[in-house]
Amino acid sequence: MIRLYIVRHGKTQWNTESRMQGWKDTSLVEEGIHLAQLLGRRLATIDFTAVYTSPSGRTLQTTELLLNGRNIPVNKEPLLREMSFGMWEGKKKETIRKQFSDEYEMFWNKPHLYKAKTGENYLDVQKRGLLGLKSIVMKHSDGDNVLIVSHCIMIKSLIYSMKKEAIDEFFWGKYSVPNGSLTVAEFHEGEFSLSFIGDTNYSKLDENIICRNKND
């Protein structure tokens, strides 16, 4: 079994300003730095075989904080980048809602029907993300622990893929991956399973809980 520790990057300036942040970038704010450092301490005893991160600056910054100087190979994987929002990038959500009301409604409430005029659609992101995830696990063998650092929509799309569920209620469904959260998955005999999703209570978790092998 290969265990995957999937982390969403820490909170950024644009996260705090409610701006769309896909392929463009802003740095982590103090809260984002603190949570990444805290999670890094909780994962410090895990022997990671390798690390894979989106090449975005905010994920690279989060990765550096998580590792805290540990000598582990870090691989930039473009397939793990966030959804491209095209002309929406850097704009506040309220501004987009006013200027692109129909598309905005589809984006948040009917993601399976959303068609981007610029940028990517949800299914496009899901397909490339799953391709990247499968490529990663094919490079590893039973017993390996792999750290993956990525983004909200990308991680959620991977969760839906692993759960073999549709994305009709992508944002309003039962899965949440807040900034700095930890999701743990396993790959065994060609199948993915999830131990837990979007956890931010890792300050209360000991090593045995973080390393647990429990499907739910």
Side-chain angles (χ1 to χ4, degrees):
M1 179 184 68
I2 302 168
R3 182 170 280 114
L4 307 170
Y5 295 79
I6 306 172
V7 178
R8 182 185 173 190
H9 65 81
K11 184 176 289 186
T12 69
Q13 185 63 42
W14 277 3
N15 289 145
T16 65
E17 297 173 1
S18 195
R19 295 181 185 272
M20 300 297 282
Q21 184 175 225
W23 286 18
K24 287 189 176 181
D25 234 335
T26 54
S27 297
L28 304 190
V29 295
E30 184 176 348
E31 178 186 351
I33 292 171
H34 173 70
L35 285 180
Q37 292 172 330
L38 181 60
L39 179 54
R41 289 198 290 271
R42 303 313 298 165
L43 299 177
T45 58
I46 297 175
D47 183 17
F48 288 115
T49 307
V51 180
Y52 298 86
T53 176
S54 156
S56 296
R58 58 194 184 275
T59 49
L60 292 171
Q61 185 181 4
T62 301
T63 300
E64 183 178 1
L65 292 166
L66 289 171
L67 295 181
N68 191 29
R70 297 171 68 183
N71 185 23
I72 305 171
V74 175
N75 305 278
K76 297 178 184 178
E77 176 49 77
L79 293 174
L80 296 176
R81 293 183 79 171
E82 180 60 295
M83 185 180 198
S84 170
F85 301 131
M87 68 176 69
W88 290 5
E89 301 227 354
K91 295 182 182 294
K92 289 190 174 182
K93 294 174 184 176
E94 181 60 21
T95 299
I96 297 169
R97 186 187 66 79
K98 292 177 179 178
Q99 295 181 350
F100 308 92
S101 58
D102 291 342
E103 293 94 332
Y104 188 84
E105 168 68 18
M106 292 290 185
F107 181 87
W108 290 106
N109 298 319
K110 297 180 181 179
H112 58 300
L113 300 178
Y114 173 71
K115 303 295 182 184
K117 293 182 179 178
T118 60
E120 295 180 289
N121 300 325
Y122 283 92
L123 289 177
D124 296 331
V125 174
Q126 190 173 48
K127 287 178 181 177
R128 71 169 166 85
L130 188 57
L131 181 64
L133 190 64
K134 288 181 176 179
S135 173
I136 289 171
V137 296
M138 290 301 104
K139 297 173 183 176
H140 293 278
S141 57
D142 285 352
D144 284 357
N145 295 311
V146 178
L147 178 62
I148 295 174
V149 186
S150 190
H151 308 265
C152 181
I153 294 179
M154 173 54 70
I155 294 173
K156 285 174 70 71
S157 73
L158 293 176
I159 290 168
Y160 276 81
S161 293
M162 287 187 268
K163 288 281 191 179
K164 299 181 180 178
E165 296 179 4
I167 62 169
D168 297 36
E169 298 183 5
F170 195 91
F171 277 93
W172 309 117
K174 53 191 173 183
Y175 308 126
S176 176
V177 286
N179 288 108
S181 63
L182 173 67
T183 296
V184 175
E186 291 83 31
F187 182 76
H188 181 62
E189 295 183 350
E191 295 290 335
F192 290 101
S193 60
L194 286 145
S195 293
F196 54 92
I197 295 170
D199 193 279
T200 54
N201 292 320
Y202 36 76
S203 61
K204 302 176 183 178
L205 300 180
D206 62 27
E207 182 180 350
N208 292 328
I209 296 175
I210 287 180
C211 294
R212 68 186 176 182
N213 181 22
K214 173 181 173 295
N215 296 324
D216 51 17

